[in-house]
Each structure stands twice: as structure tokens, then as C-alpha cells.
Amino acid sequence: RATRADLYLTVADNYTPYDQEGGALKQISGTFTSVATYNISASPYAEITALADARRRAAEDAADRIARDIAFKTKAK
């Protein structure tokens, strides 16, 4: 029986960042996939907690990558 699992989260979206004066910058599109590994426990409650933590970590990773992508692409004007 497997004791570890991978959770894949794929985020695809289009972004329209704005400058400080409110002017729209170039539209940015991106797709990001994050992977979070978690333990599969014999206890169903422990597994639910581990899965929730994996979801949070995957979402935080995707959000960080989106922020870096926007910052990089808007700075490279």
C-alpha cells in the first residue's frame, strides 16, 4: 500500500496588470502546475489534515509563481 501521494494543482489564467496611474499594461497569460506530496495515513483524520495541508502548499506555490511571472513580465517592458 502506498504511504505517500502527490497532489497536482494546475492554474491557468490571463492577467491584466495596471501601473500606478491606473493604465493597463500588456495582458499576461500563464499556466502553472504545482506538486505537493503528502503522507497517506492509516487514520482517515490524519489523511484529511495532510491533504488539506498539501492543497494549501500547492496553492501558495502557484500564487508565488504567478506573482513572480507578473513582476518579471511587467518589468521587462
Side-chain angles (χ1 to χ4, degrees), residues 3-69:
T3 59
R4 295 179 67 79
D6 290 332
L7 173 80
Y8 289 85
L9 173 67
T10 301
V11 179
D13 208 349
N14 293 320
Y15 320 102
T16 305
Y18 291 84
D19 61 19
Q20 292 179 345
E21 288 78 35
L25 302 173
K26 183 179 109 178
Q27 186 171 12
I28 300 170
S29 62
T31 301
F32 303 95
T33 301
S34 296
V35 181
T37 301
Y38 65 98
N39 290 325
I40 297 175
S41 175
S43 166
Y45 300 108
E47 187 173 345
I48 289 169
T49 302
L51 179 58
D53 181 61
R55 286 180 178 148
R56 179 192 54 78
R57 288 185 285 118
E60 286 178 356
D61 179 56
D64 288 343
R65 293 174 66 189
I66 289 168
R68 283 193 307 268
D69 188 53

